[in-house]
Amino acid sequence: MYKTEKSVKRPFLAPSRHAKKNLQLTLLALPAILLILVFAYVPMGGVFIAFKNVNYTDGILRSPWVGFTNFKFFFTSSDAWMVIRNTLSYNIVFIAVGTFLSVVFAILLNEIVSRRWLKTYQTVFFFPYFFSWIIVAYMAYSFIGPYGILTSWISQLGMESFDFYSETWIWPIMLTFINIWKGLGYVSIIFYAGIIGIPQEYFEAAQMDGASKLQAIRHVTIPLIMPLITIMTLLSIGKIFYSDFGLFFFVPREVGQLFPVTQVIDTYVYRMLKVSGDIGMSSAVGLFQSVMGFIVVLLSNYVVRKIDDDNKLF
C-alpha cells in the first residue's frame, strides 16, 4: 500500500538529531561564526568597488564603472612584477622553512621528559608571538641600527662599519629570520598538540621491534602528523599572495633603498593608496590576491588528493 502525502514523513521539517546532539558545540562556535560572517562574508558585497572609479562626490554606488581599468593600472605599473615576485618568494620560503623548523621543534619538545623544562621552553619560544610588529621593529633597530648592539660589536672588532639599512642583500635573510622567530612557538605548539595525541601504543610497538628514537620519529611520528602538516601548509598556501603588513612595513622602516627586496603587494597598495587615495585600485589588487589565493588552494588540494586522498583538505 502506498503512503498518502500526509503520512509521508518530511525529515527536513523536523529538527536534526545531529543539531540537537551538538547544540552546545554549535552555541560555543556561534561567536566565531558571527565574527567570520561579519568580517569575511559581509565585506564581499564591496567587490564591485574594484570595477569603479570611486569619487566622494558621487559616492560609491553612483561612481562610474571603469571595468578592468583598475586591474590594468596595477599590472602595467613598473613595480607590479617586483612586488608579486617578492610576495611569492617570501611566502614560499616562510612556508617551507617555517613548517620544517616548527615540526622539528615540536618533536624536540615531545622528547623533553621534565615538565618544568618543557613549560620553560614553551614559554620562551611562544612569548615573541605576542609582540606587535612595532615592538619587533624597534627591537631589530636596537640591534642593527646605526648605534645598535650588533653594529657596535662590529666596530669594536675592528671590522668595517656596516649599514644594515642600506644593504639590500641581507634583508631577505633578516626578514625570514624575524618572521620565523616570531611565529615558531605558535605553530610548533599546534604540531606538538598533534604529536601528544598519538597513542603511546605505536611507540611501544616500535620500541619492541627494535626501532631507535630516530626511526620511531621517522616511521611513527611524522607519518601520523602528516595530515596536520598538510592542512597547515594548505591553509598557509591560501594566503600566499598576502603578506604580513607589519613585518614588511615596520621592520625595514621607510627606507626607499630597500624597496626592491622589501616591497610586497600589501605595502605597495598601502603606499599607493596613501599617495593617490584611489580605493578602486586598492580594491582591485585585494580582489586579485583573493582570487589567486583561492585558485592556488584548489590546485594544491587537487595535487594532495592525487598523492594521498586521506591528507586532502576537502
Side-chain angles (χ1 to χ4, degrees):
M1 180 181 294
Y2 293 98
K3 296 181 179 180
T4 61
E5 183 178 354
K6 293 183 179 180
S7 63
V8 177
K9 294 183 179 181
R10 299 180 181 180
F12 60 90
L13 295 178
S16 173
R17 293 182 179 179
H18 184 74
K20 287 183 178 180
K21 184 178 180 181
N22 297 284
L23 179 61
Q24 293 181 351
L25 295 177
T26 304
L27 293 176
L28 185 64
L30 188 60
I33 295 174
L34 293 176
L35 190 68
I36 295 175
L37 180 66
V38 172
F39 291 98
Y41 285 93
V42 173
M44 289 184 184
V47 169
F48 66 91
I49 297 177
F51 305 94
K52 282 196 167 191
N53 182 17
V54 179
N55 61 80
Y56 298 100
T57 303
D58 298 330
I60 295 177
L61 297 178
R62 296 182 179 180
S63 296
W65 294 90
V66 293
F68 291 94
T69 303
N70 292 325
F71 296 89
K72 182 179 179 181
F73 176 82
F74 172 69
F75 287 108
T76 56
S77 64
S78 58
D79 297 328
W81 163 244
M82 178 192 70
V83 296
I84 294 175
R85 178 202 64 198
N86 290 344
T87 304
L88 291 177
S89 301
Y90 277 114
N91 281 326
I92 291 173
V93 174
F94 291 168
I95 294 172
V97 179
T99 302
F100 173 77
L101 292 179
S102 298
V103 172
V104 171
F105 184 67
I107 294 174
L108 294 177
L109 285 177
N110 189 55
E111 298 300 322
I112 299 177
V113 179
S114 174
R115 292 188 60 84
R116 178 179 297 179
W117 284 107
L118 176 61
K119 296 298 181 182
T120 302
Y121 287 129
Q122 285 180 332
T123 303
V124 170
F125 281 90
F126 192 75
F127 194 65
Y129 178 76
F130 296 102
F131 293 157
S132 69
W133 281 116
I134 298 177
I135 296 176
V136 174
Y138 278 107
M139 291 173 62
Y141 189 77
S142 67
F143 275 92
I144 62 176
Y147 304 100
I149 299 174
L150 185 57
T151 308
S152 300
W153 286 351
I154 293 176
S155 301
Q156 292 175 3
L157 291 174
M159 301 174 62
E160 185 179 354
S161 60
F162 189 83
D163 186 3
F164 287 89
Y165 287 92
S166 63
E167 299 291 338
T168 57
W169 64 270
I170 199 172
W171 277 95
I173 302 173
M174 292 187 59
L175 291 176
T176 302
F177 171 79
I178 293 174
N179 179 78
I180 294 175
W181 167 78
K182 190 174 185 296
L184 178 64
Y186 174 77
V187 181
S188 62
I189 290 298
I190 298 176
F191 291 128
Y192 176 68
I195 293 175
I196 63 178
I198 300 175
Q200 290 298 316
E201 289 79 4
Y202 290 101
F203 298 101
E204 294 173 358
Q207 187 177 5
M208 292 179 62
D209 291 338
S212 63
K213 185 67 67 175
L214 290 177
Q215 289 175 333
I217 292 173
R218 178 183 177 184
H219 297 287
V220 178
T221 304
I222 294 179
L224 290 179
I225 65 170
M226 187 56 67
L228 179 60
I229 297 174
T230 304
I231 291 174
M232 294 295 294
T233 303
L234 289 176
L235 292 176
S236 299
I237 289 176
K239 298 181 180 180
I240 197 169
F241 279 88
Y242 288 87
S243 301
D244 199 322
F245 179 84
L247 171 64
F248 292 96
F249 184 80
F250 293 112
V251 177
R253 309 173 75 87
E254 288 286 340
V255 181
Q257 189 174 349
L258 301 178
F259 284 177
V261 294
T262 61
Q263 184 89 294
V264 290
I265 295 178
D266 298 85
T267 57
Y268 175 79
V269 171
Y270 171 78
R271 292 185 175 110
M272 288 296 297
L273 181 62
K274 186 170 66 173
V275 173
S276 64
D278 190 349
I279 64 174
M281 188 273 291
S282 60
S283 299
V285 178
L287 180 59
F288 163 74
Q289 291 176 292
S290 301
V291 172
M292 293 304 300
F294 178 70
I295 294 174
V296 171
V297 168
L298 291 180
L299 293 177
S300 302
N301 187 74
Y302 176 79
V303 173
V304 171
R305 187 169 54 187
K306 288 295 182 181
I307 298 175
D308 189 350
D309 189 68
D310 294 333
N311 292 338
K312 66 182 180 180
L313 184 60
F314 51 86

